[in-house]
Amino acid sequence: RLDWRSFAWAPEDDAAGIGTLDLRTLQGYSGQTTGEAAVLETWAAAVGLERLPAPIGWALLLIDTALVMRWAGSPLDSASPPSLDAYPRYPAYPEADSQAMGGNGEGGRPSHHPAWLPLALQMALTGEESASVTVFPFNMLVSSPSASSHFRLSSQVKWPPLPPPSDESRAVARKLAGLWELTSMTNDGKPFPGGAKGRIFYSKTWYSAQVTGLKGLWHFVYSGRWHMHEGRVYHVCYCNSPMACFEVLQDSQLGLEASDASRQSYGGVRMRGAKLMEDGTLELSVEDGQQKLLCWRKVDSFSAASGGRWGPSWEGEGA
């Protein structure tokens, strides 16, 4: 893994990073040194990306670093990451669908395809790579969608603007921002067979979630943008793992759908009742013929045990 000092735009030392960040910014990178926070904040500002929880931001930076180095033909074990100008810019959402798909952005900086971010955030959450191509039914055994199917399905969705949340919803949304690990999952009050594990993160407008049960046979991962309204979280899905593609989603009744005819859940909305408990835990409820209740606790970083499909994830503490 690259150290923050490996990046050309890193401050000279950790203390020097303090001068580039205000207190509010530092609080947004809880658990990170000022040098690490400065590297992430500088990169995110350069590529037009909103602030993400630090572990997700770091994973995404490393994914983009590998991508840029691959484009340049550089060996991936090189200790010299690309210059800041070499990183592609992320398109402005929701205007992404009206922009050129890829190509050059502002000032000649290369621009990511709009569908890249949901896939990359899913990989950043799970630590799982995306295959180039998969074949049904064997794709049910992999954790991430293939790149080919993801971009094909993404071409059928749009990027409708999210409605402004109410003051009450905005206050709850601020408390949701960060990393959460699944502590329990019940079905009609009974523990999920074989136990369950999961991860979810929320930033200002983006999220990614993973829930795994039955020792990996049941594995749902999805990502996109989210909206809070009257005690419910609405997950607009722009990327789905193969198994998540087959969940039947109901209309949100809020016009949040990103597809007129959702195919394999792309552009559909997963609705969850959301309740923050007095002890700081989060309860998400799902009604799909059965009453599922998922309980989450907030963490500064993910444990390896909370991720991965068939075993612990390499992305997390204790990996």
Side-chain angles (χ1 to χ4, degrees):
R1 296 181 181 229
L2 293 171
D3 184 83
W4 64 267
R5 299 172 184 83
S6 304
F7 294 90
W9 62 91
E12 293 183 2
D13 55 56
D14 195 47
I18 298 176
T20 65
L21 302 171
D22 59 26
L23 179 59
R24 184 174 179 182
T25 299
L26 279 174
Q27 290 172 341
Y29 290 106
S30 176
Q32 304 292 296
T33 69
T34 53
E36 292 172 328
V39 168
L40 271 182
E41 186 78 0
T42 301
W43 170 71
V47 300
L49 191 62
E50 72 183 37
R51 185 179 303 149
L52 299 168
I56 299 297
W58 268 112
L60 185 59
L61 173 56
L62 294 178
I63 290 170
D64 268 18
T65 298
L67 185 66
V68 173
M69 293 176 72
R70 180 68 73 185
W71 287 342
S74 303
L76 295 184
D77 58 355
S78 170
S80 300
S83 67
L84 186 59
D85 291 340
Y87 286 83
R89 185 173 180 81
Y90 284 90
Y93 301 91
E95 295 81 10
D97 57 349
S98 65
Q99 298 185 7
M101 297 302 182
N104 290 331
E106 297 178 7
R109 181 189 290 273
S111 177
H112 273 304
H113 190 290
W116 168 247
L117 183 55
L119 176 61
L121 288 177
Q122 186 167 305
M123 291 190 290
L125 178 83
T126 63
E128 303 285 347
E129 295 182 354
S130 175
S132 57
V133 178
T134 54
V135 178
F136 181 84
F138 303 105
N139 62 337
M140 294 294 107
L141 300 178
V142 302
S143 302
S144 298
S146 69
S148 60
S149 63
H150 169 70
F151 282 96
R152 174 174 49 83
L153 292 167
S154 293
S155 67
Q156 304 173 37
V157 303
K158 53 192 177 182
W159 299 87
L162 298 175
S166 65
D167 290 341
E168 181 180 359
S169 295
R170 188 178 291 109
V172 175
R174 282 196 293 267
K175 294 179 181 179
L176 259 60
L179 310 178
W180 299 82
E181 285 189 338
L182 187 66
T183 58
S184 67
M185 177 175 172
T186 58
N187 229 349
D188 286 337
K190 299 177 181 178
F192 197 76
K197 62 181 180 179
R199 297 174 169 180
I200 192 168
F201 91 82
Y202 292 105
S203 62
K204 181 179 179 181
T205 61
W206 294 96
Y207 79 92
S208 185
Q210 172 208 327
V211 179
T212 304
L214 298 176
K215 301 188 182 299
L217 294 175
W218 193 84
H219 186 69
F220 276 47
V221 191
Y222 46 93
S223 61
R225 297 190 300 159
W226 68 289
H227 176 66
M228 187 85 191
H229 180 70
E230 294 183 353
R232 277 194 167 191
V233 177
Y234 295 81
H235 298 121
V236 187
C237 300
Y238 286 97
C239 185
N240 293 283
S241 65
M243 195 168 288
C245 282
F246 292 94
E247 183 179 4
V248 178
L249 304 180
Q250 303 299 318
D251 192 291
S252 69
Q253 304 297 318
L254 294 180
L256 294 172
E257 281 67 24
S259 175
D260 295 329
S262 175
R263 185 159 180 257
Q264 296 191 8
S265 300
Y266 269 71
V269 180
R270 287 180 166 90
M271 296 174 282
R272 306 288 186 257
K275 186 176 181 181
L276 279 168
M277 309 304 289
E278 291 184 0
D279 61 0
T281 57
L282 170 66
E283 291 187 352
L284 296 180
S285 57
V286 188
E287 293 185 13
D288 56 358
Q290 294 179 313
Q291 178 71 37
K292 291 187 177 69
L293 183 64
L294 296 90
C295 298
W296 306 79
R297 66 182 178 93
K298 203 167 194 178
V299 296
D300 289 330
S301 59
F302 290 127
S303 65
S306 69
R309 181 170 184 176
W310 308 109
S313 171
W314 64 267
E315 184 69 27
E317 297 293 329

